[in-house]
Amino acid sequence: MSDQLIQFVRDYFGTNEFIPLHAPVFPGREKEYVADTIESTFVSSVGAYVDRFEQDMASYTGSPKAVATVNGTAALHIALKLAGVEAGDLVITQPLTFVATCNAIAYCNAEPVFIDVDRDTLGLSAKALEAWLEEHANLDSEGVCRTRTDNKVVRACVPMHTFGHPADLDRLVSVTRRWNIALIEDAAESLGSYYKGQHTGTFGVLGTLSFNGNKIMTTGGGGMILTGEALETRAKHLTTTAKKPHPFEYIHDELGYNYRLPNLNAALGCAQMEQLETFIEAKRALAGSYEGLFSGTNLEFVKEPAECRSNYWLNAVICDDKAHRDELLEATNQQGVMTRPIWALMNHLVMYQSCRRGDLSNAEWLEARVVNLPSSVVTK
Ligand SMILES: *Cc1c(COP(=O)(O)O)cnc(C)c1O
């Protein structure tokens, strides 16, 4: 099968050179908009492109408000703070994610709790979440979710939409509501992905996006906080050093962060936004071709969950077992077709190995079997 895969990828991408997992493309007005910021001298954190990029992103996702940040990790860090996460709190997330999800939790001096994922979505399992809460938590007299043994507050829950495939949002919304836990979606990988017609990142109190160079569209580096009217002002305040508006004085009324997206990057983002639908069509066409290639073989292609429209940011297959996975990785990478295993589980990393966790059978099963395939945009 690896020979057929290599041939398919070479034909599809039309090259005998090295084929990366994901490379950005700039087919639109990127150069024009970036040059415009240089000509205007507004390259930094003030400028018309930042405002436009935020408005574009709010209207595209259907989020009431969107606040741009320097990267997706910073967006998550501030989203957690806005949800009231404090030192010593617990924040539930999945072990199968990129390290940024957990790092943002750790930046708040809070502790991640790892709960299993579903096999079909690769995202946080609402069933596993509920089971863990029933076994380990209570609502106190004020309705705050606390652990039974050590009375820690379970403040927030951060599901991640893996490779762009939406997690089981209806059930995650209902479990987190019942347990009074703030839902924050890490939608870094799922710009352009919808769950029952609603854009990912808009189901909880906050959601975050990333525009890193390897995401479906890029600003070089960048991120976005999706939220409602109520938290927008504070999101902007915290990301701009908590400076109070004043014509000339420097007054900062709390600990703030220099997390605002520069205008230079936002200009790139505005141009990429104009191409986003084309990118998604190209991704979905490639996914459709991969699906055909793998049907009836011993590689299971990861498809969008029921009632969802995925952006298919990164295509993936599930191998029979770890040995099969390693064979595929060796054969393809040796031939200059880049493939990668899924991330090591977060609870296997030194920083997070002693964190609380539930049963992680599905995550462990997937960790040994999932391989990502070349997924760059090809316009035919
Ligand atoms: C890309 C990504 C982020 C944010 O990454 P930045 O590089 O900081 O923009 C966060 N979570 C996940 C799951 C990601 O894939």
Side-chain angles (χ1 to χ4, degrees):
M1 189 61 225
S2 50
D3 288 343
Q4 284 129 283
L5 172 60
I6 292 163
Q7 197 51 53
F8 168 84
V9 171
R10 293 227 165 275
D11 290 346
Y12 201 93
F13 288 87
T15 174
N16 286 318
E17 313 267 294
F18 173 74
I19 298 170
L21 202 65
H22 202 285
V25 291
F26 304 105
R29 303 176 73 180
E30 288 85 356
K31 272 190 187 164
E32 182 192 329
Y33 290 178
V34 170
D36 187 32
T37 68
I38 296 169
E39 273 150 33
S40 73
T41 77
F42 283 94
V43 293
S44 199
S45 46
V46 175
Y49 284 108
V50 183
D51 299 331
R52 175 174 154 191
F53 189 41
E54 289 177 336
Q55 279 157 21
D56 284 357
M57 208 47 86
S59 63
Y60 182 82
T61 58
S63 173
K65 297 289 174 188
V67 177
T69 58
V70 284
N71 57 52
T73 313
L76 261 176
H77 182 194
I78 297 302
L80 289 160
K81 289 203 152 285
L82 292 169
V85 173
E86 288 171 7
D89 287 351
L90 302 183
V91 176
I92 290 167
T93 191
Q94 58 202 59
L96 197 76
T97 184
F98 178 59
V99 70
T101 319
C102 297
N103 286 350
I105 296 168
Y107 296 162
C108 298
N109 296 309
E111 188 195 320
V113 178
F114 299 117
I115 300 296
D116 209 3
V117 294
D118 285 326
R119 272 278 308 276
D120 55 342
T121 66
L122 314 180
L124 189 68
S125 164
K127 203 171 141 218
L129 171 63
E130 180 139 57
W132 188 86
L133 288 167
E134 270 164 10
E135 190 180 339
H136 296 281
N138 270 329
L139 288 177
D140 71 11
S141 56
E142 271 140 35
V144 177
C145 181
R146 288 178 184 273
T147 53
R148 289 198 197 136
T149 47
D150 54 1
N151 215 36
K152 293 235 180 202
V153 177
V154 183
R155 191 76 67 183
C157 173
V158 187
M160 197 279 284
H161 305 298
T162 308
F163 308 146
H165 302 305
D168 187 6
L169 281 162
D170 274 353
R171 286 190 192 83
L172 289 169
V173 166
S174 109
V175 175
T176 49
R177 271 209 192 124
R178 210 166 331 119
W179 285 86
N180 203 13
I181 298 169
L183 180 65
I184 303 170
E185 296 168 74
D186 181 350
E189 305 183 353
S190 64
L191 177 62
S193 297
Y194 296 79
Y195 177 90
K196 296 188 182 171
Q198 185 178 335
H199 198 282
T200 52
T202 66
F203 285 77
V205 60
L206 293 137
T208 59
L209 304 173
S210 166
F211 314 112
N212 190 32
N214 64 346
K215 296 301 200 285
I216 191 156
M217 58 158 272
T218 186
T219 57
M224 192 74 76
I225 301 167
L226 304 178
T227 191
E229 306 265 348
L231 294 176
E232 185 215 7
T233 311
R234 202 164 133 71
K236 281 206 166 135
H237 192 61
L238 281 180
T239 51
T240 53
T241 66
K243 184 184 174 298
K244 293 200 80 163
H246 191 282
F248 46 84
E249 290 212 76
Y250 296 102
I251 304 159
H252 305 267
D253 60 0
E254 64 180 308
L255 178 62
Y257 299 83
N258 180 16
Y259 278 178
R260 188 111 176 114
L261 184 73
N263 202 41
L264 193 68
N265 301 81
L268 193 57
C270 289
Q272 290 262 286
M273 254 336 275
E274 295 174 352
Q275 304 293 321
L276 184 56
E277 282 312 304
T278 315
F279 293 172
I280 294 168
E281 273 169 39
K283 294 266 185 189
R284 293 184 58 85
L286 173 58
S289 299
Y290 272 134
E291 191 180 339
L293 176 74
F294 295 119
S295 80
T297 73
N298 62 347
L299 289 169
E300 180 192 336
F301 183 66
V302 177
K303 281 181 265 183
E304 63 193 349
E307 296 186 88
C308 293
R309 178 182 178 267
S310 175
N311 67 2
Y312 280 100
W313 168 60
L314 266 195
N315 291 289
V317 283
I318 302 178
C319 300
D320 286 337
D321 52 29
K322 192 158 181 296
H324 182 210
R325 179 199 83 163
D326 292 344
E327 266 171 48
L328 181 66
L329 288 167
E330 285 287 339
T332 47
N333 282 291
Q334 210 174 38
Q335 295 291 315
V337 170
M338 187 171 175
T339 60
R340 290 187 86 174
I342 201 166
W343 313 282
L345 299 188
M346 290 301 110
N347 53 294
H348 293 160
L349 303 182
V350 282
M351 313 82 85
Y352 303 118
Q353 64 191 3
S354 56
C355 293
R356 288 162 220 239
R357 56 178 177 265
D359 171 78
L360 302 179
S361 314
N362 288 340
E364 280 158 7
W365 191 91
L366 290 162
E367 182 194 32
R369 288 169 179 79
V370 174
V371 172
N372 286 123
L373 308 174
S375 300
S376 305
V377 165
V378 179
T379 40
K380 299 233 155 186

Short mmCIF file of all heavy atoms in Angstrom, two decimals, residues 70-74 76 97-98 100-101 160 186 188-189 209-212 214-215 222-223 313 343, ligand 1:
data_model
loop_
_atom_site.label_atom_id
_atom_site.label_comp_id
_atom_site.label_asym_id
_atom_site.label_seq_id
_atom_site.Cartn_x
_atom_site.Cartn_y
_atom_site.Cartn_z
N VAL A 70 -1.03 37.45 18.96
CA VAL A 70 0.23 37.12 18.29
C VAL A 70 0.34 35.66 17.86
O VAL A 70 1.08 35.35 16.94
CB VAL A 70 1.48 37.46 19.14
CG1 VAL A 70 1.75 38.94 19.12
CG2 VAL A 70 1.35 36.92 20.55
N ASN A 71 -0.34 34.77 18.56
CA ASN A 71 -0.37 33.37 18.13
C ASN A 71 -1.53 32.65 18.83
O ASN A 71 -2.22 33.25 19.67
CB ASN A 71 0.98 32.65 18.37
CG ASN A 71 1.42 32.71 19.81
OD1 ASN A 71 0.68 32.36 20.72
ND2 ASN A 71 2.64 33.17 20.02
N GLY A 72 -1.74 31.41 18.47
CA GLY A 72 -2.86 30.65 19.02
C GLY A 72 -2.67 30.31 20.48
O GLY A 72 -3.65 30.23 21.24
N THR A 73 -1.42 30.11 20.88
CA THR A 73 -1.14 29.79 22.28
C THR A 73 -1.52 30.98 23.18
O THR A 73 -2.14 30.80 24.24
CB THR A 73 0.36 29.45 22.48
OG1 THR A 73 0.76 28.53 21.46
CG2 THR A 73 0.61 28.85 23.83
N ALA A 74 -1.16 32.19 22.72
CA ALA A 74 -1.50 33.40 23.48
C ALA A 74 -3.03 33.56 23.55
O ALA A 74 -3.57 33.95 24.60
CB ALA A 74 -0.88 34.62 22.81
N LEU A 76 -5.23 31.18 23.59
CA LEU A 76 -5.71 30.22 24.59
C LEU A 76 -5.40 30.68 26.01
O LEU A 76 -6.24 30.55 26.91
CB LEU A 76 -5.03 28.88 24.37
CG LEU A 76 -5.78 27.80 23.61
CD1 LEU A 76 -4.87 26.59 23.43
CD2 LEU A 76 -7.07 27.39 24.33
N THR A 97 -3.39 15.95 21.73
CA THR A 97 -3.46 17.32 21.22
C THR A 97 -2.03 17.81 21.01
O THR A 97 -1.07 17.14 21.40
CB THR A 97 -4.22 18.26 22.18
OG1 THR A 97 -4.34 19.56 21.58
CG2 THR A 97 -3.52 18.40 23.52
N PHE A 98 -1.91 18.99 20.40
CA PHE A 98 -0.62 19.65 20.29
C PHE A 98 -0.31 20.27 21.66
O PHE A 98 -1.22 20.71 22.37
CB PHE A 98 -0.69 20.72 19.19
CG PHE A 98 0.57 21.51 19.02
CD1 PHE A 98 1.77 20.87 18.72
CD2 PHE A 98 0.57 22.89 19.16
CE1 PHE A 98 2.95 21.61 18.58
CE2 PHE A 98 1.74 23.62 19.01
CZ PHE A 98 2.92 22.98 18.72
N ALA A 100 0.60 22.98 22.80
CA ALA A 100 0.16 24.35 23.13
C ALA A 100 -1.08 24.36 24.03
O ALA A 100 -1.21 25.23 24.89
CB ALA A 100 -0.12 25.13 21.84
N THR A 101 -1.99 23.42 23.81
CA THR A 101 -3.22 23.38 24.62
C THR A 101 -2.87 23.28 26.11
O THR A 101 -3.40 24.02 26.93
CB THR A 101 -4.09 22.16 24.21
OG1 THR A 101 -4.10 22.03 22.80
CG2 THR A 101 -5.51 22.30 24.73
N MET A 160 -10.44 19.88 21.81
CA MET A 160 -9.68 20.33 20.64
C MET A 160 -10.23 19.58 19.42
O MET A 160 -10.47 18.38 19.50
CB MET A 160 -8.21 20.03 20.87
CG MET A 160 -7.25 20.77 19.96
SD MET A 160 -7.06 20.04 18.35
CE MET A 160 -6.01 18.63 18.71
N ASP A 186 -10.54 24.77 21.72
CA ASP A 186 -9.30 25.00 20.99
C ASP A 186 -9.58 24.64 19.53
O ASP A 186 -9.51 23.47 19.14
CB ASP A 186 -8.16 24.15 21.57
CG ASP A 186 -6.83 24.40 20.87
OD1 ASP A 186 -6.83 25.07 19.81
OD2 ASP A 186 -5.80 23.90 21.36
N ALA A 188 -7.91 25.75 16.96
CA ALA A 188 -6.70 26.13 16.20
C ALA A 188 -6.64 25.44 14.85
O ALA A 188 -6.12 26.00 13.89
CB ALA A 188 -5.46 25.78 17.02
N GLU A 189 -7.15 24.21 14.78
CA GLU A 189 -7.01 23.41 13.56
C GLU A 189 -8.29 23.41 12.72
O GLU A 189 -8.32 22.80 11.65
CB GLU A 189 -6.62 21.97 13.95
CG GLU A 189 -5.36 21.96 14.82
CD GLU A 189 -4.85 20.58 15.20
OE1 GLU A 189 -5.54 19.57 14.92
OE2 GLU A 189 -3.75 20.51 15.78
N LEU A 209 -8.44 30.40 17.74
CA LEU A 209 -7.94 29.97 16.43
C LEU A 209 -6.44 30.21 16.37
O LEU A 209 -5.90 31.00 17.15
CB LEU A 209 -8.60 30.80 15.31
CG LEU A 209 -10.12 30.81 15.23
CD1 LEU A 209 -10.57 31.83 14.18
CD2 LEU A 209 -10.67 29.43 14.90
N SER A 210 -5.77 29.56 15.42
CA SER A 210 -4.34 29.80 15.17
C SER A 210 -4.12 30.02 13.68
O SER A 210 -4.77 29.38 12.85
CB SER A 210 -3.51 28.60 15.63
OG SER A 210 -2.19 28.68 15.10
N PHE A 211 -3.19 30.93 13.38
CA PHE A 211 -2.80 31.18 11.98
C PHE A 211 -1.31 30.98 11.82
O PHE A 211 -0.62 31.71 11.10
CB PHE A 211 -3.21 32.60 11.55
CG PHE A 211 -4.60 32.95 11.96
CD1 PHE A 211 -4.83 33.92 12.93
CD2 PHE A 211 -5.69 32.29 11.40
CE1 PHE A 211 -6.13 34.23 13.34
CE2 PHE A 211 -6.98 32.59 11.80
CZ PHE A 211 -7.20 33.57 12.77
N ASN A 212 -0.80 29.97 12.50
CA ASN A 212 0.60 29.59 12.34
C ASN A 212 0.84 29.14 10.89
O ASN A 212 -0.11 28.85 10.17
CB ASN A 212 0.91 28.46 13.33
CG ASN A 212 2.39 28.16 13.41
OD1 ASN A 212 3.22 29.06 13.26
ND2 ASN A 212 2.74 26.91 13.63
N ASN A 214 1.63 26.50 9.48
CA ASN A 214 1.17 25.19 9.03
C ASN A 214 -0.35 25.02 9.10
O ASN A 214 -0.87 23.95 8.80
CB ASN A 214 1.84 24.09 9.88
CG ASN A 214 1.43 24.16 11.35
OD1 ASN A 214 0.87 25.16 11.79
ND2 ASN A 214 1.72 23.13 12.10
N LYS A 215 -1.09 26.07 9.48
CA LYS A 215 -2.54 25.93 9.60
C LYS A 215 -3.22 26.17 8.25
O LYS A 215 -2.55 26.48 7.26
CB LYS A 215 -3.07 26.92 10.67
CG LYS A 215 -2.54 26.62 12.07
CD LYS A 215 -2.91 25.23 12.55
CE LYS A 215 -2.84 25.05 14.06
NZ LYS A 215 -1.48 24.94 14.61
N GLY A 222 0.02 33.95 14.37
CA GLY A 222 -1.16 34.71 14.77
C GLY A 222 -2.21 33.82 15.38
O GLY A 222 -2.15 32.59 15.26
N GLY A 223 -3.15 34.46 16.06
CA GLY A 223 -4.25 33.72 16.68
C GLY A 223 -5.45 34.62 16.83
O GLY A 223 -5.39 35.82 16.50
N TRP A 313 -8.08 19.77 7.51
CA TRP A 313 -6.79 20.46 7.58
C TRP A 313 -5.62 19.49 7.38
O TRP A 313 -4.76 19.72 6.54
CB TRP A 313 -6.66 21.21 8.91
CG TRP A 313 -5.27 21.69 9.16
CD1 TRP A 313 -4.57 22.56 8.38
CD2 TRP A 313 -4.40 21.32 10.24
NE1 TRP A 313 -3.30 22.76 8.91
CE2 TRP A 313 -3.18 22.01 10.04
CE3 TRP A 313 -4.54 20.49 11.35
CZ2 TRP A 313 -2.11 21.89 10.92
CZ3 TRP A 313 -3.48 20.37 12.23
CH2 TRP A 313 -2.28 21.06 12.01
N TRP A 343 0.72 13.15 17.57
CA TRP A 343 1.52 13.60 18.73
C TRP A 343 1.64 12.50 19.79
O TRP A 343 0.72 11.70 19.97
CB TRP A 343 0.85 14.80 19.41
CG TRP A 343 0.40 15.86 18.48
CD1 TRP A 343 1.19 16.82 17.89
CD2 TRP A 343 -0.93 16.11 18.01
NE1 TRP A 343 0.43 17.62 17.09
CE2 TRP A 343 -0.88 17.22 17.15
CE3 TRP A 343 -2.15 15.50 18.24
CZ2 TRP A 343 -2.00 17.74 16.52
CZ3 TRP A 343 -3.28 16.01 17.61
CH2 TRP A 343 -3.19 17.12 16.76
C1 LIG B 1 -1.48 25.22 16.22
C2 LIG B 1 -2.16 24.87 17.47
C3 LIG B 1 -2.25 25.77 18.56
C4 LIG B 1 -1.69 27.17 18.58
O1 LIG B 1 -0.44 27.25 18.06
P1 LIG B 1 0.35 28.63 17.77
O2 LIG B 1 1.55 28.11 17.04
O3 LIG B 1 0.66 29.21 19.10
O4 LIG B 1 -0.49 29.53 16.93
C5 LIG B 1 -2.97 25.39 19.67
N1 LIG B 1 -3.55 24.19 19.73
C6 LIG B 1 -3.49 23.31 18.72
C7 LIG B 1 -4.20 22.02 18.86
C8 LIG B 1 -2.78 23.60 17.57
O5 LIG B 1 -2.74 22.70 16.57
#
